[in-house]
């Protein structure tokens, strides 16, 4: 009987593989960090922390002519959070689960929990640095030709399998999402306009019915790059209006400009500036001019120590420059310096300088399946930094951070 079952299973696999393809991929990634003041300075009474986190992913991808489906199971944990001999069940979950059907060679629809990642990953990103990552429960319609791509994304969320309408109050999420994105290549210019509409649900004070407010983000990116040119320019502009997730009437903007120049294959330099609008001290209650970065990558912008992963209420200037060197084919070294300041004055201090940060990152490809990355960062605070971070009345340690990350892919 067991032999018959085995033969049937083997026959089923052979039959399936004749008409379709199943691909299994995986990742095991650990990162050890010495934290002496990331996101905010440590006071003299606080001790540095050494922590190791682990992320494991298993991907199963099925494809057959017009159909593609993907399921990713993910486990995230901190070394030592579970005692030896204990099986943790609350660290494992479903990261991706979607199916896609291609109606034609240029048009397809993808439904399920999936990664949304666009342009330079500023608004929407998989947030790969994070131990959990970002994914959205949406329907994505995709149309593409050689020089044009259009995405239309929609989502409608609930806190559970409701039998009647309940307030949607899931933290850091939206009740509904509508996203339109277009990418057009025209010679050396690539243009990517985008529009994002999110709604957040609230309950009337009297407890009757629900209502929604909408946050809108409109703008786009322009990349100027000739195929054989060592020089490229990337420009970004976004405008936010409507109401934010705190119900404030919103009028905010983000402007960014970055230039990259490859001196030779082993040496490249970059320089750029980010501007996030901010709110004045005397701004009337119920209004905001502070830009929200939505669901983008926190680690890729405004410094690796993530002091300003959420721009201050007063807004943020980030002027930066860096250099990347490849002494070996498998080795890459990057050093970037940031200078930060507020856009508007803080209510408690008239100086805007937020200090500076230096980030050093080293990447080494040990083998095709093994990547090693390490880094060291230091933040040079000012009195304004301490005021904004709420530690102005105490002595602080010199903020610095170091890490080493090892990733295995198979």
């Amino acid at each position: 009987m067991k032999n018959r079952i085995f033969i049937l299973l083997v026959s089923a696999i052979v039959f399936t593989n004749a008409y379709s393809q199943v691909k299994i991929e995986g990742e095991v990634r650990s990162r050890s960090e010495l934290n002496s003041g990331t996101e905010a300075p440590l006071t003299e009474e606080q001790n540095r922390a050494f922590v190791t986190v682990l992320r494991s992913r298993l991907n199963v991808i099925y494809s057959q002519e017009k159909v593609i489906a993907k399921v990713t199971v993910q486990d995230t944990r901190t070394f030592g959070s579970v005692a030896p001999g204990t099986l943790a069940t609350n660290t494992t979950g479903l990261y991706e689960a979607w199916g896609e059907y291609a109606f034609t060679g240029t048009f397809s629809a993808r439904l399920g929990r999936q990664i949304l990642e666009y342009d330079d990953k500023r608004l929407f990103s998989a947030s790969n640095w994070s131990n959990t990552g970002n994914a959205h429960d949406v329907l994505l319609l995709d149309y593409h030709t050689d020089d044009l791509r259009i995405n239309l994304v929609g989502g409608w969320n609930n806190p559970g399998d409701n039998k009647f309408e309940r307030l949607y109050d899931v933290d850091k999420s939206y009740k509904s999402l509508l996203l339109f994105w277009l990418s057009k290549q025209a010679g050396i210019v690539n243009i990517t306009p985008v529009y994002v509409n999110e709604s957040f649900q609230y309950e009337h004070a009297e407890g009757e019915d629900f209502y929604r407010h909408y946050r809108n983000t409109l703008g786009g990116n322009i990349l100027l790059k000739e195929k054989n040119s060592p020089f490229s320019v990337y420009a970004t502009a976004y405008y936010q209006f409507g109401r934010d997730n705190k119900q404030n009437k919103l009028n905010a903007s983000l402007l960014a400009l970055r230039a990259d120049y490859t001196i030779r294959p082993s040496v490249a330099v970059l320089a750029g500036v980010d501007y996030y609008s901010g709110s004045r001290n005397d701004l009337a209650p119920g209004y905001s001019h502070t830009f929200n970065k939505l669901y983008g990558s926190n680690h890729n912008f405004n410094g690796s120590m993530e002091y300003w992963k959420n721009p201050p209420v007063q807004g943020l200037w980030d002027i930066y420059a860096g250099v990347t060197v490849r002494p070996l084919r498998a080795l890459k070294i990057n050093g970037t310096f940031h200078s930060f300041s507020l856009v508007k004055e803080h209510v408690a201090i008239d100086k805007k300088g937020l200090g500076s940060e230096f980030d050093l990152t080293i990447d080494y490809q040990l083998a095709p399946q093994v990547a090693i990355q390490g880094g060291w960062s230091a933040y040079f605070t000012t009195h304004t930094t301490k005021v904004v971070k709420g530690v102005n009345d105490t002595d602080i340690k010199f903020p610095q951070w170091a890490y080493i990350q090892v990733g295995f892919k198979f």
Side-chain angles (χ1 to χ4, degrees):
M1 183 64 181
K2 291 182 179 180
N3 290 336
R4 290 181 181 178
I5 294 174
F6 177 76
I7 293 171
L8 286 173
L9 287 173
V10 172
S11 300
I13 293 172
V14 172
F15 179 79
T16 300
N17 287 341
Y19 296 92
S20 62
Q21 185 177 30
V22 176
K23 185 178 181 181
I24 298 177
E25 300 174 336
E27 176 196 42
V28 177
R29 189 188 77 177
S30 66
R31 183 168 67 237
S32 298
E33 302 182 41
L34 180 61
N35 182 358
S36 185
T38 56
E39 299 188 18
L42 294 184
T43 65
E44 286 293 347
E45 291 74 27
Q46 294 173 317
N47 294 322
R48 301 173 180 86
F50 179 76
V51 177
T52 299
V53 294
L54 177 70
R55 186 181 78 188
S56 306
R57 287 178 176 173
L58 182 64
N59 308 318
V60 179
I61 305 167
Y62 169 87
S63 59
Q64 182 187 38
E65 291 188 53
K66 296 185 176 184
V67 176
I68 302 176
K70 182 178 182 181
V71 174
T72 301
V73 178
Q74 173 176 277
D75 180 82
T76 63
R77 62 182 64 224
T78 301
F79 275 24
S81 60
V82 179
T86 303
L87 180 63
T89 58
N90 60 350
T91 63
T92 302
L94 201 61
Y95 178 56
E96 287 185 276
W98 52 262
E100 179 177 324
Y101 182 79
F103 293 92
T104 67
T106 58
F107 177 68
S108 64
R110 177 183 295 181
L111 178 64
R113 187 161 185 83
Q114 57 192 281
I115 292 170
L116 296 179
E117 197 162 69
Y118 293 101
D119 304 317
D120 60 354
K121 307 177 186 180
R122 192 184 289 268
L123 293 185
F124 285 87
S125 168
S127 193
N128 190 52
W129 173 263
S130 164
N131 215 39
T132 55
N134 288 341
H136 301 255
D137 302 316
V138 294
L139 168 65
L140 184 151
L141 304 179
D142 177 64
Y143 172 81
H144 62 274
T145 61
D146 290 340
D147 59 358
L148 175 68
R149 186 160 204 157
I150 300 173
N151 277 189
L152 182 63
V153 179
W156 182 268
N157 291 335
N158 286 284
D161 186 9
N162 300 340
K163 306 308 177 187
F164 57 90
E165 182 69 0
R166 290 174 52 201
L167 177 67
Y168 185 77
D169 56 359
V170 176
D171 188 36
K172 299 180 181 178
S173 189
Y174 42 79
K175 174 62 179 177
S176 67
L177 173 70
L178 177 65
L179 182 151
F180 173 82
W181 175 83
L182 182 150
S183 176
K184 173 63 177 176
Q185 188 71 39
I188 65 170
V189 180
N190 180 256
I191 304 173
T192 58
V194 63
Y195 170 67
V196 183
N197 174 275
E198 310 157 86
S199 76
F200 303 94
Q201 193 174 47
Y202 306 94
E203 192 172 18
H204 286 287
E206 297 80 9
E208 299 176 0
D209 207 356
F210 305 109
Y211 65 96
R212 286 185 289 153
H213 282 158
Y214 297 86
R215 178 171 64 192
N216 302 278
T217 305
L218 177 66
N221 303 270
I222 299 176
L223 171 64
L224 300 175
K225 181 173 177 59
E226 191 175 5
K227 184 177 181 180
N228 298 318
S229 173
F231 182 72
S232 66
V233 176
Y234 196 84
T236 299
Y238 296 120
Y239 172 62
Q240 279 184 344
F241 59 99
R243 290 185 182 268
D244 63 17
N245 55 359
K246 296 181 180 179
Q247 303 195 57
N248 295 311
K249 193 170 183 180
L250 188 60
N251 182 3
S253 59
L254 183 158
L255 301 173
L257 184 66
R258 168 174 168 154
D260 291 81
Y261 183 75
T262 303
I263 299 174
R264 55 177 183 265
S266 60
V267 181
V269 295
L270 65 90
V273 57
D274 288 357
Y275 164 86
Y276 298 86
S277 67
S279 302
R280 304 189 315 270
N281 298 328
D282 58 353
L283 188 64
Y287 290 83
S288 175
H289 295 164
T290 305
F291 191 88
N292 187 286
K293 297 199 297 183
L294 302 188
Y295 312 99
S297 172
N298 291 324
H299 195 73
N300 288 6
F301 301 96
N302 313 127
S304 297
M305 293 181 72
E306 300 188 9
Y307 267 52
W308 315 115
K309 63 179 182 179
N310 296 315
V313 172
Q314 298 80 16
L316 180 71
W317 281 103
D318 176 13
I319 302 172
Y320 60 92
V323 58
T324 300
V325 179
R326 283 187 178 271
L328 302 171
R329 185 175 181 179
L331 179 64
K332 181 175 71 174
I333 304 171
N334 174 266
T336 302
F337 181 82
H338 297 261
S339 177
F340 301 107
S341 61
L342 297 175
V343 173
K344 305 294 183 182
E345 287 185 359
H346 192 278
V347 66
I349 190 170
D350 58 0
K351 294 183 179 179
K352 298 180 180 179
L354 288 173
S356 56
E357 178 177 333
F358 175 73
D359 300 318
L360 176 67
T361 306
I362 301 173
D363 291 274
Y364 181 68
Q365 195 71 38
L366 180 63
Q369 305 86 359
V370 185
I372 302 174
Q373 184 182 89
W376 174 79
S377 295
Y379 199 101
F380 306 93
T381 63
T382 64
H383 182 59
T384 307
T385 312
K386 296 177 66 178
V387 170
V388 173
K389 290 297 182 180
V391 293
N392 53 304
D393 295 328
T394 184
D395 293 331
I396 63 170
K397 290 183 168 68
F398 173 57
Q400 55 183 323
W401 167 71
Y403 75 97
I404 184 166
Q405 177 175 279
V406 182
F408 299 85
K409 290 189 176 182
F410 56 88

